[in-house]
Amino acid sequence: GSSRLCDYVTVAGQSGIAGHVTVGPKTILSGRSGVTRNLPGGQVYGGNPAQLLREEMKTQALARRLPKLIARVKTLEEALQISQAAE
């Protein structure tokens, strides 16, 4: 396959671009980005699959919180089961 990179596209290290994809002008791809669809120009993207970098950073922050959230849900479920059993 072939990809089309428009003018002034910056592709950081270890990034990959799938075939038959167009990356718009003045786009920046952060390191280790994976582009699987056409991207409009003038934006900064990151992640795999590539999304707006701001959204990718939010996703990563939420993923780091998952272990504590899972433990919290388990605790709440146990408390709910205990209260339901007491009824």
Side-chain angles (χ1 to χ4, degrees), residues 21-33:
V21 171
T22 299
V23 179
K26 298 182 182 178
T27 296
I28 299 173
L29 301 176
S30 69
R32 304 184 82 183
S33 296

Side-chain angles (χ1 to χ4, degrees), residues 1-2 9-10 18 21 33-36 40 45 50 57-60 62 64 66 70 72 76 79 82 86:
S2 60
V9 172
T10 302
V21 171
S33 296
V35 180
T36 58
Y45 296 91
M57 292 172 66
K58 288 178 186 178
T59 301
Q60 288 181 16
L62 289 171
R64 284 192 297 270
L66 279 177
I70 290 170
R72 186 174 172 192
L76 291 170
I82 291 170

Side-chain angles (χ1 to χ4, degrees), residues 78-87:
E78 289 169 359
L80 183 61
Q81 287 178 354
I82 291 170
S83 69
Q84 286 178 348
E87 290 179 3

Side-chain angles (χ1 to χ4, degrees), residues 38-55:
N38 293 336
L39 299 177
Q43 300 284 335
V44 180
Y45 296 91
N48 188 13
Q51 59 183 339
L52 290 174
L53 187 59
R54 186 170 195 80
E55 295 303 314

